[in-house]
């Protein structure tokens, strides 16, 4: 069973069970990438590039974007982030601290509607 160690808390987070060692490694790598993104978005200087890189990655989902950026928004905006159409998504990302240029450059209406933001 793969697990990830959280240094600040000292705890181990168990990841879902896998059938093979390769699947366990992949799950641990994905957890590592998520943890690194979470740390990076906490730094305002790295927010734009972190979210832009994430949006271009194969790991992108609106749910994951909400996990990363949502804590920077109040509850009603956080809930809208997951389902917002492209124009509103840009506004919400701006409210979360992304530069207008970074938010707008990542917007592509068709992928946004399908749950992808590229």
């Amino acid at each position: 069973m793969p697990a990830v160690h959280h240094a600040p808390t000292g705890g181990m987070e168990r990841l879902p069970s896998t059938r093979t060692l390769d699947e366990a490694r992949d799950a641990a790598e994905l957890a590592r990438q998520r943890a690194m993104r979470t740390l990076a978005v906490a730094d305002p200087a790295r927010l734009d590039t972190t979210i832009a890189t994430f949006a271009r990655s194969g790991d992108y989902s609106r749910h994951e974007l909400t996990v990363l950026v949502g804590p920077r928004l109040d509850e009603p905006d956080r809930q809208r982030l997951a389902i917002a159409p492209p124009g509103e998504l840009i506004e919400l990302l701006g409210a979360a601290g992304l530069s207008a240029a970074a938010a707008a450059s990542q917007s592509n209406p068709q992928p946004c509607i399908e749950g992808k933001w590229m």
Side-chain angles (χ1 to χ4, degrees):
M1 171 175 281
V4 178
H5 180 262
H6 291 279
T9 63
M12 293 290 284
E13 175 189 351
R14 290 187 177 191
L15 302 174
S17 294
T18 59
R19 289 174 283 176
T20 68
L21 184 58
D22 286 338
E23 288 176 356
R25 286 184 184 132
D26 290 345
E29 176 61 20
L30 181 59
R32 182 195 69 80
Q33 290 172 352
R34 285 182 173 150
M36 295 298 291
R37 279 193 295 264
T38 300
L39 288 173
V41 296
D43 178 1
R46 296 174 56 196
L47 179 63
D48 284 348
T49 55
T50 301
I51 295 300
T53 301
F54 169 60
R56 290 187 302 267
S57 76
D59 299 333
Y60 177 83
S61 72
R62 226 9 131 81
H63 172 75
E64 189 73 16
L65 179 65
T66 302
V67 169
L68 291 170
V69 179
R72 295 172 160 267
L73 299 168
D74 60 14
E75 188 57 35
D77 287 346
R78 186 177 307 126
Q79 291 175 2
R80 290 185 7 241
L81 187 61
I83 58 170
E88 186 179 1
L89 177 63
I90 291 170
E91 290 177 26
L92 291 169
L93 292 173
L98 271 79
S99 70
S105 71
Q106 297 303 311
S107 179
N108 182 341
Q110 187 61 32
C112 285
I113 292 169
E114 296 174 358
K116 298 278 186 185
W117 180 56
M118 296 183 198

